[in-house]
Amino acid sequence: MCGVVGYIGQENCAPIILNGLKKLEYRGYDSAGLAISETPDVLKIIRAEGKLSNLERIFTQEPFEGSRGLGHIRWATHGAPTEVNAHPHVAGSIVLAHNGIIENYLYLRDKLASEGREFTSATDTEVVAHLIDSELENADDLHHAVRKALSQIEGSYAFVVMSVNEPETLVVARNAAPMVLGRNENAAFAASDIPAVLEHTRKFVFLNDGDTAVLTREKTSIFDAQGLPVDRPEKLIQWDPISAEKQGYKHFMLKEIFEQPTRIIDTLRGRTDLDAGDINLNEVDLDDAFLEQVNKITIIACGTSYYSAMVGKYLIEGHARIPVEVDLASEYRYRNPIVDGKTLCIAISQSGETADTLAALREAKKLGAKTMCICNVIESTIARESDAILYTHAGPEIAVASTKASTTQLVALSMLAIWLGRRKNTMSAEDGRAWIEALRAVPTAIETILNDLDPYKDIAKQFSSAISFLYLGRGAQFPVALEGALKLKEISYIHAEGYASGEMKHGPIALIDENMPIVAIAPNDDVYEKTVSNVMEAKARQGKIIAIVEEGDDNLSRVADVVIEIPTVDQRVQPIITYVAVQLISYFIADFKGTDIDQPRNLAKSVTVE
Ligand code: F6R
């Protein structure tokens, strides 16, 4: 989704802003733009369709300089991804770049048009620029005009705005879309995400919904929704800026796949107590009185996070014996869910900004549920709005396709299942200990997989021209099948379906012929024999079997066309291991096909529209 970078300081800021936009490219976009104050009263603006490199080309042909500016990458919502619709947008003395959706923009546009204002784009953003410009006539200054405009706007926004008439100021506003502010001794920054400006500062302030801020070279002033000055706490970000770089890997996705052993150690760090066979989740603010009465858990999420939620159902129901519902966030709020004060609603989200998940979380809260989130991005909106937070600590995930965020989600869900099971007395200390040991063994098991990539490269060579793939799994491997199919679709553009193995005979078996690769996810678990029978049914119809099995498997590996061996681990952590295998299948097929792996077409990393 869109990304914004704003700068006001002492240096020539065009390279700083362009570099910041590069760090936001992972969000997914289809056009870009840059505005710089060349002199106090001359603003230079360039915009380009497509990749940031197109904008950079225009800039290099005719570079310009200035120490105040803003840049934007746009993921089209209102209007095609053309140059004319690209941000920044101009109205009178105003230049503005925006992330979000203005829901009442048509009403505002008509009103402003009736006052004689002319629009050059199809965007909702240009309407905001005009609205602020029209409010300037009766306002004390730009900030005042922005606040007057905000009182008429409905929707989500995070924007940076400047005016030729106020050369010493950048004004920022945020509501239900991410925006962070940073400052060093020379400059103030505003950005949609931390990596954009992490090389310039480690100190960040996170705005609340409804906040506005005035940035000058000397200071940052923040105002709440009522317009009153407020202090928002400054957070020190510990990540190394380099952790958001490719570090020699061909793609961010591959780097992030390889990071998983380390990130899982980070997720577990300080949270496991082997002696007690328990998990230390003091940070999770759920009191004993609530835990005693909780009678239902609803997990809400989208995409890959939803599949993690499905695995979570197996883990929590199976071991903590609390009923778990799993809902697609985009469906939850429209299905009139049954919720009361004994319901725990858990939102799972890597970004913490997914609009559907946020809306579902708010709905659950409104209906009286206690809320919690499993989230990767600190201080994200979902984290801030949840009663309790369990951070995954996967570090910045840049590739659009989620990998390390999802395996660390599974680790977080495992810890939660142990923690709940121990508190509900459904799990003994010994059981807890065995599970913790299994979790601690996961990084080494993943490293074993990562040490031999040849089978995945072979699969890519043999099957990259297939039209469609079928992924089969049973029990906790069923969500892995769904995740494998999603990952393949996303980055290789090959159609794929995930199915519960037992369901195949009820329909999709009709698709199977000698051209259909079938990824059978069949580690040695309680339902292994059943999965084998289902795979044999597919084999009997000439399907090409790619079997993900445990080392030493002497059954499925005999009939499979390609065998991927994974290490033997405790059944409860098997989905974490098989996730890695399906990630690698997709990655190498997409790499073989030469697709844009880190930024697949039409996709955005942080989906901030419903
Ligand atoms: C798939 C993927 C998406 C996200 C989904 C939810 O690889 O990344 O399906 O999982 O958009 O995003 P978050 O977890 O940020 O809420």
Side-chain angles (χ1 to χ4, degrees), residues 302-305 348-351 354 357 400-402 486-487 490 607:
C302 304
T304 288
S305 296
I348 303 184
S349 175
Q350 185 286 129
S351 62
T354 302
T357 311
V400 163
S402 192
L486 175 70
K487 211 98 295 170
E490 276 185 299
V607 185

Side-chain angles (χ1 to χ4, degrees), residues 298-608:
T298 302
I299 315 185
I300 46 172
C302 304
T304 288
S305 296
Y306 174 73
Y307 300 139
S308 299
M310 288 177 72
V311 176
K313 177 180 167 77
Y314 285 95
L315 300 177
I316 297 171
E317 275 191 349
H319 301 279
R321 309 305 294 153
I322 304 171
V324 179
E325 280 174 356
V326 178
D327 264 279
L328 285 167
S330 53
E331 292 295 318
Y332 178 78
R333 58 196 291 228
Y334 301 109
R335 75 164 174 86
N336 196 10
I338 300 171
V339 176
D340 61 25
K342 295 179 181 168
T343 307
L344 174 63
C345 175
I346 305 176
I348 303 184
S349 175
Q350 185 286 129
S351 62
E353 301 293 345
T354 302
D356 288 320
T357 311
L358 179 60
L361 181 84
R362 287 178 175 159
E363 178 72 10
K365 204 170 204 172
K366 195 177 89 196
L367 295 172
K370 186 97 174 160
T371 59
M372 171 178 172
C373 69
I374 293 177
C375 202
N376 191 38
V377 177
I378 57 157
E379 291 290 332
S380 54
T381 309
I382 288 174
R384 284 145 60 107
E385 294 202 13
S386 300
D387 298 323
I389 314 169
L390 179 51
Y391 282 121
T392 47
H393 299 313
E397 193 179 63
I398 306 295
V400 163
S402 192
T403 53
K404 62 175 180 167
S406 58
T407 42
T408 54
Q409 283 167 354
L410 297 188
V411 171
L413 283 159
S414 307
M415 290 195 296
L416 186 64
I418 300 172
W419 187 74
L420 289 168
R422 298 289 287 121
R423 264 133 212 88
K424 290 289 214 185
N425 288 322
T426 55
M427 191 185 299
S428 66
E430 204 184 334
D431 247 3
R433 212 168 292 135
W435 198 343
I436 291 170
E437 270 172 351
L439 284 167
R440 288 186 181 180
V442 165
T444 311
I446 295 180
E447 262 154 22
T448 308
I449 295 180
L450 297 176
N451 279 338
D452 181 13
L453 301 175
D454 287 345
Y456 305 95
K457 293 180 184 165
D458 279 355
I459 292 172
K461 265 191 219 138
Q462 284 191 54
F463 299 108
S464 293
S465 55
I467 307 290
S468 182
F469 272 64
L470 188 60
Y471 283 71
L472 298 178
R474 263 189 120 110
Q477 299 300 333
F478 167 41
V480 182
L482 295 168
E483 167 64 3
L486 175 70
K487 211 98 295 170
L488 188 70
K489 279 183 273 214
E490 276 185 299
I491 61 168
S492 75
Y493 313 142
I494 297 176
H495 171 258
E497 279 198 55
Y499 248 82
S501 330
E503 269 294 293
M504 185 192 59
K505 57 188 173 292
H506 297 290
I509 198 165
L511 296 170
I512 296 177
D513 62 15
E514 68 283 5
N515 299 315
M516 168 76 92
I518 296 150
V519 180
I521 307 158
N524 215 343
D525 56 15
D526 293 345
V527 287
Y528 174 75
E529 303 295 342
K530 302 264 178 218
T531 311
V532 171
S533 308
N534 301 139
V535 177
M536 295 311 287
E537 290 154 15
K539 177 82 187 165
R541 276 135 191 111
Q542 271 83 52
K544 296 281 180 293
I545 309 298
I546 300 165
I548 301 177
V549 291
E550 277 178 25
E551 52 206 354
D553 178 281
D554 192 29
N555 194 342
L556 207 50
S557 49
R558 289 204 213 176
V559 299
D561 297 87
V562 181
V563 176
I564 292 181
E565 284 202 338
I566 54 167
T568 298
V569 292
D570 184 304
Q571 182 170 331
R572 290 169 289 196
V573 299
Q574 278 169 345
I576 312 177
I577 308 296
T578 48
Y579 253 45
V580 179
V582 297
Q583 292 166 0
L584 288 167
I585 293 177
S586 320
Y587 174 80
F588 282 104
I589 290 179
D591 189 40
F592 192 86
K593 291 189 72 182
T595 55
D596 188 351
I597 291 186
D598 284 335
Q599 291 161 38
R601 67 184 179 209
N602 304 337
L603 290 179
K605 182 72 184 159
S606 173
V607 185
T608 49

Side-chain angles (χ1 to χ4, degrees), residues 26 30-31 58-59 132 245 428 434 487 497 507 531:
Y26 72 89
D30 32 45
S31 60
I58 299 173
F59 178 76
I132 297 172
E245 306 285 342
S428 66
K487 211 98 295 170
E497 279 198 55
T531 311

Side-chain angles (χ1 to χ4, degrees), residues 47 49 74 80-89 120-123 126:
R47 301 184 293 187
E49 239 179 85
R74 172 174 186 256
T82 56
E83 187 197 330
V84 83
N85 287 329
H87 303 204
H89 284 285
T120 53
S121 78
T123 64
E126 194 187 1

